[in-house]
Amino acid sequence: MTSDIAVHTEGLTKFYGARRGIEGLDLEVRAGEVMGFLGPNGAGKTTTIRLLLDFLRPTRGRAVVLGLDPRRDKAVLHRRIGYLPGELAFPGRGRADELLRFFADARGGVAWSHVTELADRLELDLSRPVHTLSKGNKQKVGLVQAFMHQPALLILDEPTSGLDPLVQHEFLGMVRDARAAGQTVFMSSHVLAEVQQSADRVAIVRDGRLAAVERVESLGRRAVRTVEIHFDDPVDAAEFTVLPGVSDVVVSGPVLRCTVDGRLDPLVKAAARHSVVDLLSAEPDLEETFLSFYYHSEPHGEGAVDAARAGA
């Protein structure tokens, strides 16, 4: 594996008895990119992360992280990773600054000015005891400890859980800054919108299997659009229901409404046979696209995965 690959998995599989956590995961995360790891709760995202960190042992398959073996090189590897778990549990009754100083010392020393800068960005009061903090403020402590030592790889499990929208926006700014500094970010989420602004690519998992790997912009091009066309004269719905990618066709006199999955070209060419007064196309909703991938499509991600490996 080359140094430009931060995370590499081959056939990574974990079963809990008869229940599948993740199966046959083949994934590469490039060094210096932000990869969104997307799927509904229970899809296998947290299982994958725990396997990468050697908190779980795989049933079969393997993972290489920063060129190291997660089991054999665990101690070295963990010093180079910033990890935010999906479920935070901080021990003791100390203040936030005391807990973060402990983490800083454990990592060989971190400039305290950098810690306070991160806390200020997230509007975190470091003087408060951690056990008194709200879920959102505990999440901020978790984010600071993950980012504070400027790790080569950030592994973030549902990082915006409990954060208000303004803090979510600041967090995404931190992710973009990390990428600009050459760090790699692997960020799991069940909400596509929160990675849309910062991710280079997204990997979508469903039912423990990889469904697709896409660049964010290409996923948008696959998106389902709502289209409304106004003609000079009434049109026949049958002319449009046979078009590829066109569904939910409703015609009311000279107005046609439909849903288009993929390219608009077939619909536009069919409409051009008539006199068009107006055409309205709603912006693709990436959340709808994600749901379409997850609930309606067959596991067609193999082609997308191959394209991604080829540099798509």
Side-chain angles (χ1 to χ4, degrees):
M1 190 186 73
T2 60
S3 60
D4 61 344
I5 301 299
V7 176
H8 174 82
T9 70
E10 292 180 7
L12 193 63
T13 299
K14 177 65 179 179
F15 277 84
Y16 303 93
R19 184 171 66 85
R20 178 172 61 202
I22 197 80
E23 184 173 9
L25 183 71
D26 294 329
L27 184 65
E28 285 190 345
V29 182
R30 299 165 186 153
E33 80 170 332
V34 178
M35 170 71 86
F37 194 47
L38 299 165
N41 292 328
K45 304 186 303 298
T46 296
T47 293
T48 300
I49 285 173
R50 290 174 176 168
L51 289 167
L52 296 179
L53 294 165
D54 194 48
F55 295 153
L56 292 173
R57 299 288 167 84
T59 304
R60 59 179 178 270
R62 73 184 191 110
V64 180
V65 181
L66 298 177
L68 302 172
D69 181 278
R71 181 185 301 184
R72 185 186 64 239
D73 305 312
K74 187 172 184 176
V76 174
L77 184 59
H78 282 201
R79 285 197 293 270
R80 300 181 61 196
I81 291 175
Y83 169 53
L84 176 73
E87 296 293 333
L88 283 171
F90 292 127
R93 303 176 69 83
R95 302 188 325 184
D97 58 351
E98 294 170 337
L99 180 63
L100 290 171
R101 286 187 187 278
F102 169 80
F103 283 124
D105 291 342
R107 288 161 180 163
V110 174
W112 189 248
S113 60
H114 185 56
V115 175
T116 57
E117 177 189 341
L118 291 170
D120 288 345
R121 289 188 70 169
L122 295 172
E123 299 182 353
L124 171 64
D125 183 354
L126 293 176
S127 68
R128 293 185 57 190
V130 175
H131 76 277
T132 68
L133 296 178
S134 66
K135 174 179 171 58
N137 280 314
K138 286 179 180 177
Q139 192 76 355
K140 294 176 187 179
V141 175
L143 286 169
V144 172
Q145 67 79 29
F147 279 80
M148 63 192 298
H149 56 305
Q150 298 173 297
L153 172 64
L154 283 152
I155 298 180
L156 310 174
D157 194 356
E158 301 285 354
T160 62
S161 175
L163 301 180
D164 66 52
L166 287 177
V167 178
Q168 289 180 26
H169 179 77
E170 191 59 48
F171 160 73
L172 292 175
M174 289 166 55
V175 170
R176 288 190 291 269
D177 290 348
R179 178 178 56 189
Q183 296 166 262
T184 306
V185 183
F186 186 65
M187 181 168 69
S188 87
S189 177
H190 66 279
V191 181
L192 182 56
E194 75 181 21
V195 300
Q196 178 185 347
Q197 299 176 47
S198 58
D200 299 295
R201 294 189 298 154
V202 294
I204 298 174
V205 288
R206 78 176 172 195
D207 296 333
R209 294 182 182 273
L210 187 65
V213 177
E214 298 275 356
R215 292 196 65 82
V216 170
E217 59 268 27
S218 66
L219 186 60
R221 288 196 293 271
R222 291 177 179 267
V224 175
R225 308 163 193 258
T226 301
V227 179
E228 182 176 306
I229 305 176
H230 294 247
F231 299 96
D232 259 342
D233 300 300
V235 294
D236 184 359
E239 183 181 349
F240 298 92
T241 55
V242 297
L243 298 174
V246 176
S247 60
D248 303 323
V249 176
V250 176
V251 172
S252 178
V255 179
L256 177 143
R257 296 179 181 86
C258 64
T259 298
V260 181
D261 186 351
R263 299 178 63 200
L264 289 172
D265 187 60
L267 176 63
V268 171
K269 286 179 177 175
R273 302 188 192 110
H274 306 270
S275 179
V276 176
V277 176
D278 198 6
L279 187 151
L280 305 171
S281 175
E283 281 297 309
D285 186 313
L286 291 186
E287 200 72 28
E288 287 185 15
T289 301
F290 170 50
L291 293 174
S292 175
F293 265 74
Y294 187 77
Y295 289 111
H296 304 305
S297 62
E298 291 301 313
H300 65 283
E302 293 178 1
V305 172
D306 290 342
R309 287 175 179 157

